[in-house]
Structures are given as C-alpha cells and as structure tokens.
Amino acid sequence: MLVVLTGGTGGAKLIEGLSHEVDPAELTIICNTADDFVHHGLNISPDLDTIMYTLAGLSDPEQGWGIRGDTFTV
C-alpha cells in the first residue's frame, strides 16, 4: 500500500501520475483540508475538489483547477 499526503494542483498532478503506475486499490490519499471554508452556506474544499476532479478526468487543464467547461457567470 502507498500512502500519499497531498493537496492542491501540484498534488493532483502527482496523484494522477501515481494512479497510472500503481494499482488504485493500493493507493491511499490523505488530502489537505486546511483551506476548507463555508461560503453562503456551502462547504468549499478546494484541495479535495481538485484531487477528485483530476482523478475523474474532469479538471480544467488550462486553469489547473475547477471543472473543464464550467462557467463563472451568475
């Protein structure tokens, strides 16, 4: 088993690379939560989101964070 302490965009790239080289069942990710916050009643976890979006193949490669094709207008 491989345990990785990670977070942020660099950590997401590290985990993505490791997920191609190591059996995912043998990979345990412990992710940073120090930057989590609540905004208008919504829980925001930027590092967890970045790791999950990257592993799911949904991350925006141009920005390095967020979901590809997401909009920011209200």
Side-chain angles (χ1 to χ4, degrees):
M1 175 179 290
L2 179 61
V3 178
V4 181
L5 302 173
T6 190
T9 57
K13 292 176 185 176
L14 171 68
I15 295 301
E16 181 179 32
L18 285 173
S19 72
H20 295 294
E21 298 298 320
V22 176
D23 178 7
E26 294 296 317
L27 184 60
T28 299
I29 302 165
I30 300 174
C31 191
N32 174 38
T33 57
D35 298 324
D36 293 5
F37 62 99
V38 177
H39 185 68
H40 297 293
L42 299 173
N43 292 313
I44 310 294
S45 301
D47 289 351
L48 292 172
D49 292 346
T50 300
I51 298 291
M52 289 187 291
Y53 298 157
T54 300
L55 290 176
L58 300 173
S59 64
D60 186 333
E62 291 180 24
Q63 294 187 106
W65 55 272
I67 297 175
R68 180 179 49 252
D70 201 3
T71 60
F72 297 92
T73 54
V74 185

